[in-house]
Every structure is written in C-alpha cells, then in structure tokens.
C-alpha cells in the first residue's frame, strides 16, 4: 500500500493524502493551500495526478484547508462519492459556495491586473456551479456507523472534537498481507476547549496520520484564557472596540460561547457582539441547530443566551453597508469577523480602522500561518499594509491561545496514549516543518514509538 502526501505535510494547509492499495485508490481530504503568494500556484498544481481511477474520497472536516479543492477535483473529472458526516455536509454547502465566490473574484482581479499585452484571462480554480455540482457528490454518514466505500473496505467516522462534524477517519481494508487499519486523525480538538466533546480515543492502527499544528506548544489553561479575555475586554470597551479575527467555522462559535460564559457569570458587563461575516453567521446558526453535538455546558449556555438577550446583544451584519457602519463605532463593540488569519474578508476593514487606535484591542485567537497579516501582527509588526495603505499598529494585541480548536502538544500526546501499542507506522502531518519534526521526536522519546516520521509535501511511502 502506498501513501502519497500531496499536501498538509510539513505545512498546515492543503491537506490531502492519496492512498493506493492493490484494489482501490482514495483520497483523505482535498484541501486548499492558503496564505502567502505561493498558495495560488500550489492550488493550480495540486491535483496534478491521474484522477481517472480514483474510487472514493473521505473527508475529515469542513475547514477549507481540508475541503477547499473538492470542487476542483470534481471539475477536473472526479465524479465518485465524497463521504462526510451529515453536519460536515451542511457546513460544506456554505463554505464551498463561499469559496467558489472568492475564487471567481480572485480570478477576475488577476485577469484585470495582468500585463495588458497578455490579454488572456485567468480562470478561477472553480466557479459556483462547479461547487454546486461537487456538493451533489457528498454522501453522509453518522458518527460510529460503519460504511463500505468500496468492496473490501470498511470505514467509521469518530468525533474528532475539532469543529462541528469533524471526524477521525478510521479505515479497515484487506491487503495481500492481511487486514490493515488506517487511522487519519484529521484535526484534533482540545479536550478542555469546552465547545465540543473531547476527541474520541483510538486503540490501534497499522498506519496512523496525526496532526501537529500545535505539536511544539502548550495552550494556556482555561482559567488563564478566561483571565486574559477579561483583561483584554473589560479595560477596552469603555474607550475602544475589541476586534477578534476568527475563522467563521469553529473559532467564531468558541469565542462567542466563551464571551457568553463571562457575561452569564457577571464577570463582564452586558456585551454588544457583532458577528460580521455572512459565513460565520450561517455557521453559528448551524451550530445552534445542533446543540446535541456540543458539550453539555454549552447547551446550557445557549439556553441562557436565548433567554437573556439584554445580557448579550448579538447582531449579525449581513450587508456590506451594515459592516461599514461598524467603522463608525468608537467604543463598546466586540466585532468578530473573518478571515481568521486577517488576509481576506471584512476583518481587514475593521483592522484598518481600529489598529491605529491605542484604545482598541485586537484578540488573536487562532493559528496564524506564515505569510499572513495575522502572523505579522503576532510577530509584533509596528506597521502593516492593508489595502495599499501603511497602517500603524497602536492597538493592544492579545494572543489568546486557549480557545484553539486544536489540541496542543500534551493534548496530542495524551490522545496518542490511547493506543494500546505503537502503530506500525506513524506519520506526523499538518504542522509547519520544524513543529512536525519536533513533535515526531517527542512521540519517539515520550511514548517510545520507533517508526515515526514527519513527511514533506510530495513524499510517498510504501507500507506493508
Ligand atoms: Zn480544521
């Protein structure tokens, strides 16, 4: 059996693994590369392999860095099934259509800004119609329900606790050497994150792919996170705004419930929260329709929010005009907006208006990839460029690690301790190069596992 690491190896975006056995070829995830100037080129070349004999696709979760090239896969000729959990399918409908819009806009922009002598236009990675066609290929399966995507294969999705619908993909298949079990962790949630249940533990695998986004870091404890949120927010709202860049799906909801918790306990005064991202609004509504998938505390919190609208005023801004009107607010607003890494979307406007003001605060709540505006802010830039303007950074910058939807190093190691014995092969993926390598070393040292490595994009391995 051969595994090809097509993306999300030695990096955190573009997750895609091709598995070829004697009987079938399948993909786990088909993610988009994000951040930096090379992302466009990498996405263009990403699916440059023979798609004709691809039998099925398994998806861990709806985040674009895991799902964003599915419409392109479909547009390039793959017409087979894409297996997902039911909530992932709901989220994909929102996310892939939004992504297609962005692709169309980016292609249009690139066509306009091309050298005028080269008149040909730039095609989008995929368009809205192609995204719609791809959605038709989704096949939904409930957690803990065995299904067979191909003769001789049996799969189960386990709750990964990362975002709504996220799954650990567990594949059993027959090879010439006997039955084999492949486990793909996907992105793993942190047990104490609060929003979702802890990732399901797995006890065995012949081949394991484990993520390592925060493989060399520890998150702050939830008490620390609370204290930081209180410090960042309570001192700011009297004279300034609090701007929170957040992924529309997952992080926005964790932030919302963390704030609601502080408002409910009376630790923070009544809050005025704007969710300024159409996709975040849709994702929040989907989340609130699926309270049964959330941690029990969060269900109570949601009930409290519904019955105490004065304690937590929540507004969704749909139209561009409403979003722009937020720029007139000088103080007292908490604005949660996308993109989470600050390099696209409405958040750029809010940063442009609020970064130069020392009375305001920016709360970074998620991972910031190299090459993104968010990363420059975290790295302490005193000036940043937004929409071709130099913007001085005078706002207070807070990094709140504890809200991450990813397990930290100890969380990952703890999940790995659920294995009764070391998997035959462990591949550490979905981490920047140094992080993945460090984490692979940690796994060897702390768990005594020997066959552990951190492959790079483009690597392939044959395993028995
Ligand atoms: Zn994710």
């Amino acid at each position: 059996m051969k595994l090809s690491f097509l993306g999300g190896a030695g990096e955190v975006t573009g997750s895609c693994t091709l598995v070829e056995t004697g009987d079938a070829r399948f993909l786990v995830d088909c993610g988009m590369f994000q951040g930096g100037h090379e992302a466009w080129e990498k996405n263009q070349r990403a699916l440059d392999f023979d798609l004709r004999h691809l039998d099925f696709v398994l998806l861990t979760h709806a985040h674009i860095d895991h799902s964003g090239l599915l419409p392109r896969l479909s547009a390039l000729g793959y017409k087979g099934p894409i297996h997902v959990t039911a909530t992932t399918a709901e989220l994909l409908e929102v996310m892939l259509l939004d992504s297609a819009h962005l692709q169309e806009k980016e292609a249009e922009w690139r066509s306009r800004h091309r050298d005028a002598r080269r008149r040909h236009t730039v095609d989008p990675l995929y368009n809205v119609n192609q995204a719609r066609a791809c959605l038709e290929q989704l096949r939904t399966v409930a957690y803990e329900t065995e299904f067979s995507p191909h003769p001789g294969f049996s799969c189960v999705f386990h709750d990964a606790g990362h975002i709504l619908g996220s799954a650990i993909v567990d594949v059993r298949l027959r090879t010439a050497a006997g039955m084999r079990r492949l486990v793909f962790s996907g992105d793993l949630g942190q047990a104490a994150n609060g929003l979702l249940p802890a990732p399901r533990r797995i006890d065995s695998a012949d081949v394991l792919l484990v993520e390592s986004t925060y493989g060399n870091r520890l998150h702050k404890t939830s008490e620390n996170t609370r204290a930081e949120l209180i410090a960042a927010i309570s001192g700011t709202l009297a004279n300034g705004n609090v701007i929170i860049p957040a992924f529309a799906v997952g992080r926005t909801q964790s932030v919302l419930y963390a704030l609601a918790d502080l408002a409910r306990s009376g630790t923070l005064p009544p809050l005025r929260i704007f969710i300024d991202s159409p996709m975040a609004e849709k994702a929040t509504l989907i989340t609130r329709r699926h309270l049964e998938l959330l941690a029990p505390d969060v269900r109570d919190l949601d009930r409290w929010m519904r019955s105490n609208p004065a304690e937590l005023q929540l507004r969704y801004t749909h139209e561009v005009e409403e979003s722009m009107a937020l720029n007139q607010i000088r103080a007292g607003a908490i604005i949660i907006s996308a993109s989470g890494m600050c390099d696209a979307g409405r958040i750029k406007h809010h940063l442009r208006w609020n970064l130069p003001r020392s009375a305001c605060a920016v709360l970074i709540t998620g991972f910031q990839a190299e090459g993104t505006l968010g990363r420059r802010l975290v790295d302490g830039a005193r000036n940043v460029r937004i929409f071709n303007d130099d913007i001085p950074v005078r706002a207070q910058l807070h990094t709140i690690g504890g809200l991450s939807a990813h397990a930290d190093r100890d969380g990952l190691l703890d999940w790995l301790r659920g294995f009764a014995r070391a998997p035959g092969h462990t591949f550490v993926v979905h981490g920047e190069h140094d992080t993945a390598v460090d984490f692979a070393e940690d796994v060897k040292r702390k768990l005594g596992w020997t066959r552990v490595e951190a492959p790079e994009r483009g690597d392939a391995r044959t395993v028995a």
Side-chain angles (χ1 to χ4, degrees):
M1 161 169 52
K2 185 178 164 197
L3 283 88
S4 302
F5 302 93
L6 304 179
E11 63 203 340
V12 292
T13 69
S15 283
C16 188
T17 308
L18 172 67
V19 183
E20 295 167 279
T21 73
D23 298 324
R25 300 170 83 229
F26 64 96
L27 286 183
V28 178
D29 288 343
C30 189
M32 186 178 281
F33 293 97
Q34 297 170 304
H37 296 294
E38 318 90 62
W40 171 268
E41 292 290 327
K42 279 157 97 177
N43 284 323
Q44 298 285 336
R45 290 196 308 262
L47 301 176
D48 196 11
F49 61 91
D50 185 5
L51 298 178
R52 277 172 305 172
H53 305 295
L54 196 59
D55 295 289
F56 60 95
V57 176
L58 303 168
L59 191 71
T60 61
H61 65 291
H63 274 154
I64 287 295
D65 63 317
H66 292 257
S67 70
L69 289 187
L70 284 173
R72 186 161 171 84
L73 185 73
S74 162
L76 291 175
Y78 174 69
K79 298 298 172 215
I82 300 166
H83 300 278
V84 300
T85 65
T87 349
T88 293
E90 274 187 69
L91 290 171
L92 284 177
E93 189 172 342
V94 178
M95 300 180 74
L96 293 183
L97 293 178
D98 177 82
S99 173
H101 274 297
L102 292 178
Q103 298 312 316
E104 289 184 359
K105 268 201 280 189
E106 173 155 9
E108 214 177 280
W109 185 88
R110 282 176 183 268
S111 300
R112 264 206 316 277
H113 289 78
R114 275 222 149 173
D115 186 336
R117 284 165 301 179
R118 286 194 271 157
R119 287 188 179 278
H120 64 278
T121 53
V122 177
D123 288 329
L125 273 176
Y126 50 87
N127 60 36
V128 171
N129 287 336
Q130 288 166 328
R132 273 193 227 287
C134 166
L135 292 170
E136 298 291 318
Q137 289 167 253
L138 301 182
R139 300 288 174 269
T140 63
V141 193
Y143 284 129
E144 304 306 321
T145 305
E146 211 175 302
F147 64 101
S148 178
H150 194 78
F153 283 68
S154 129
C155 294
V156 178
F157 288 144
H158 308 285
D159 195 341
H162 167 63
I163 60 166
L164 208 66
S166 64
I168 296 161
V169 171
D170 186 353
V171 186
R172 289 167 205 255
L173 58 105
R174 212 184 331 273
T175 69
M179 288 303 287
R180 289 289 177 267
R181 186 178 185 187
L182 278 67
V183 174
F184 300 80
S185 77
D187 289 358
L188 290 171
Q190 51 167 328
N193 164 286
L195 184 61
L196 296 165
R200 177 91 177 196
R201 291 168 87 85
I202 307 292
D203 60 1
S204 74
D206 296 295
V207 177
L208 169 68
L209 271 74
V210 62
E211 71 122 323
S212 61
T213 316
Y214 284 104
N216 62 356
R217 266 184 280 181
L218 295 179
H219 295 323
K220 292 170 183 164
T221 61
S222 51
E223 294 78 48
N224 267 329
T225 303
R226 273 175 74 91
E228 277 177 342
L229 274 172
I230 295 163
I233 293 171
S234 60
T236 303
L237 292 175
N239 299 307
N241 299 318
V242 175
I243 308 299
I244 310 181
F247 290 118
V249 179
R251 193 62 40 84
T252 293
Q253 294 78 36
S254 314
V255 170
L256 176 64
Y257 286 116
L259 295 176
D261 187 33
L262 294 172
R264 180 177 61 173
S265 64
T267 317
L268 288 179
L271 298 174
R272 196 153 60 112
I273 301 176
F274 297 90
I275 291 187
D276 185 32
S277 151
M279 183 157 59
E281 173 182 0
K282 289 178 189 148
T284 305
L285 296 177
I286 292 173
T287 305
R288 299 186 82 184
R289 273 207 305 274
H290 288 287
L291 296 181
E292 78 283 0
L293 294 176
L294 306 182
D297 277 1
V298 180
R299 282 177 235 161
D300 293 341
L301 202 48
D302 198 87
R303 271 192 288 278
W304 174 84
M305 281 168 66
R306 286 173 208 270
S307 40
N308 293 275
E311 301 294 305
L312 192 146
Q313 291 179 39
L314 178 59
R315 278 215 17 223
Y316 301 103
T317 43
H318 315 268
E319 306 302 326
V320 175
E321 293 72 28
E322 290 174 287
S323 172
M324 282 163 65
L326 297 182
N327 297 330
Q328 305 306 316
I329 303 177
R330 299 286 292 171
I334 298 177
I335 301 171
I336 308 173
S337 184
S339 75
M341 297 193 198
C342 311
D343 46 0
R346 295 179 177 181
I347 189 67
K348 289 173 77 176
H349 293 275
H350 301 303
L351 290 172
R352 186 181 189 286
W353 284 88
N354 291 279
L355 275 177
R357 295 180 52 214
S358 60
C360 294
V362 176
L363 271 59
I364 299 288
T365 61
F367 185 82
Q368 306 296 316
E370 278 173 25
T372 61
L373 173 57
R375 180 66 160 254
R376 285 194 289 284
L377 290 173
V378 170
D379 288 345
R382 299 316 303 161
N383 278 283
V384 290
R385 268 190 99 66
I386 301 179
F387 301 125
N388 291 325
D389 286 326
D390 267 318
I391 305 294
V393 181
R394 298 197 193 96
Q396 314 305 311
L397 210 83
H398 301 266
T399 304
I400 308 225
L403 290 172
S404 174
H406 287 272
D408 63 5
R409 186 195 66 202
D410 287 356
L412 291 169
L413 287 169
D414 182 57
W415 183 76
L416 292 176
R417 286 193 181 95
F419 286 80
R421 57 176 196 289
H425 299 268
T426 300
F427 298 103
V428 175
V429 296
H430 202 279
E432 285 179 358
H433 174 83
D434 292 353
T435 309
V437 170
D438 286 355
F439 186 67
E441 283 309 310
D442 260 350
V443 173
K444 287 186 192 167
R445 214 172 36 239
K446 293 187 172 146
L447 303 184
W449 297 7
T450 48
R451 293 162 102 176
V452 185
E453 63 165 315
E456 290 290 308
R457 173 163 41 91
D459 285 353
R461 296 287 183 274
T462 300
V463 294

